[in-house]
């Protein structure tokens, strides 16, 4: 198992991996090849893939705003789960964010994603009961829930 920086040339394999994971929330703007390329260009040191025999089996994209780190679209192919891949990805992302001067990291998980929520809790990410998550759409997008 090799964990390395994600490149835009990985996009097709990564996108298919996301589609293989139930509960992954994707949209046609941010998660398009162009959207991911923009993200990778802004965050070239904090997005990683896990591969075995040149097949991508795990991915975690993360970035920061100079103050906080943010983790998005963590996925491990169902056939490769419970082997420590996601934990290794978390460790690499956290190391990369720390090296960038980031001291705190946040993420969003769908409430109905029991497996994902259990994973993040096991890895030390706590639920904030004092916040209300809000967003506003600037450009209409088509959402893909797998």
């Amino acid at each position: 198992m090799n964990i390395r920086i994600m490149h835009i040339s990985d996009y097709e394999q990564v996108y298919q991996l996301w589609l293989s994971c139930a509960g992954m929330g994707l949209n046609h703007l941010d998660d398009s090849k162009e959207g991911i390329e923009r993200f990778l260009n802004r965050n070239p040191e904090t997005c990683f893939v896990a591969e075995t025999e040149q097949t991508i089996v795990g991915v975690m994209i993360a970035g920061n705003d100079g103050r906080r780190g943010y983790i998005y679209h963590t996925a491990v192919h169902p056939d490769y789960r419970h082997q420590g891949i996601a934990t290794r990805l978390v460790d690499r992302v956290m190391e990369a964010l720390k090296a960038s001067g980031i001291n705190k990291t946040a993420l969003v998980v769908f409430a109905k994603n029991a497996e994902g929520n259990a994973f993040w809790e096991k890895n030390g990410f706590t639920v904030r009961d004092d916040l209300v998550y809000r967003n506003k759409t600037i450009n209409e997008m088509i959402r893909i829930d797998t």
Side-chain angles (χ1 to χ4, degrees):
M1 179 71 47
N2 180 41
I3 295 182
R4 63 170 174 77
I5 292 286
M6 180 181 168
H7 304 285
I8 195 58
S9 59
D10 298 319
Y11 178 80
E12 296 304 327
Q13 278 194 70
V14 165
Y15 193 79
Q16 290 306 309
L17 172 60
W18 286 334
L19 291 178
S20 76
C21 296
M24 182 69 62
L26 302 173
N27 70 64
H28 287 296
L29 290 177
D30 298 328
D31 302 318
S32 66
K33 187 172 186 178
E34 295 77 18
I36 296 300
E37 186 169 28
R38 262 191 321 275
F39 192 87
L40 293 175
N41 287 338
R42 282 185 59 93
N43 303 283
E45 305 292 324
T46 55
C47 301
F48 295 91
V49 294
E51 63 183 353
T52 183
E53 299 176 15
Q54 299 180 350
T55 299
I56 293 173
V57 298
V59 62
M60 182 176 292
I61 62 173
N64 76 80
D65 61 11
R67 185 168 174 260
R68 293 283 185 262
Y70 300 94
I71 296 174
Y72 306 92
H73 291 359
T74 300
V76 173
H77 191 282
D79 294 343
Y80 290 85
R81 291 185 181 164
H82 307 289
Q83 297 179 30
I85 296 169
T87 299
R88 288 179 58 197
L89 285 165
V90 170
D91 291 344
R92 287 293 295 275
V93 163
M94 298 303 275
E95 289 169 10
L97 289 169
K98 185 176 181 180
S100 297
I102 301 302
N103 298 309
K104 195 174 207 178
T105 303
L107 54 90
V108 175
V109 184
F110 288 115
K112 65 183 179 181
N113 184 347
E115 186 175 6
N117 281 294
F119 170 78
W120 290 113
E121 186 170 324
K122 178 182 168 190
N123 279 275
F125 286 76
T126 59
V127 173
R128 296 279 309 257
D129 294 328
D130 59 330
L131 301 174
V132 174
Y133 176 78
R134 297 181 187 270
N135 66 15
K136 182 177 181 177
T137 300
I138 297 171
N139 290 314
E140 289 300 316
M141 61 186 117
I142 299 171
R143 189 179 161 92
I144 306 168
D145 286 323
T146 58

